[in-house]
Amino acid sequence: MSLVRRCSRTACGRPAVATLTYVYADSTAVLGPLATYAEPHCYDLCAEHSERLTAPRGWDVVRLSDGSAPSRPSGDDLEALANAVREAARPHDRAAEAGAGPGGGPTAKGPANGQSRRGHLRVLRSPDS
């Protein structure tokens, strides 16, 4: 059983995602990926506290990234997601996909109330259509 390390900030119980250490000789705070082991004189921080980290006047903050942390989605990522949703919503021959044979089987049309099914989503048609 592995224990989740928590943020070192007082009254914060969120899971730690980064480790902060200080290099006093260089007046530098170094924030990097969560260390493999809890080290003395290092501070584990949650995502919120690591993003909001500031250093004392005259100090530098060095933020190291291991490249495995998820980045914020770019405009291209969001556009690709929207296109995938549109493609999934396009009507196409569901009877063939559902394996309906000539004897009649499942169809894309749901009950007589005007429902149709697209994957795991249901589309309700308005009564006037």
Side-chain angles (χ1 to χ4, degrees), residues 2-73:
S2 65
L3 296 175
V4 175
R5 292 188 352 228
R6 300 288 175 190
C7 183
S8 298
R9 295 291 302 259
T10 305
C12 181
R14 290 184 288 256
V17 298
T19 298
L20 171 67
T21 189
Y22 295 101
V23 182
Y24 292 98
D26 296 333
S27 299
T28 303
V30 180
L31 183 67
L34 187 63
T36 306
Y37 301 101
E39 298 286 337
H41 310 294
C42 290
Y43 303 92
D44 295 334
L45 300 176
C46 66
E48 181 181 342
H49 285 122
S50 64
E51 288 174 13
R52 294 176 30 199
L53 175 74
T54 60
R57 184 174 295 151
W59 282 59
D60 294 319
V61 176
V62 175
R63 295 178 187 269
L64 304 175
S65 174
D66 67 352
S68 67
S71 60
R72 294 183 183 245

Side-chain angles (χ1 to χ4, degrees), residues 84-105:
V85 170
R86 281 188 206 108
E87 180 65 29
R90 279 195 186 138
H92 53 286
D93 189 8
R94 292 284 181 183
E97 283 183 12

Side-chain angles (χ1 to χ4, degrees), residues 1 85 107 109 116 118 126:
M1 178 178 146
V85 170
T107 64
K109 200 70 169 163
S116 65
R118 293 182 179 158
S126 64

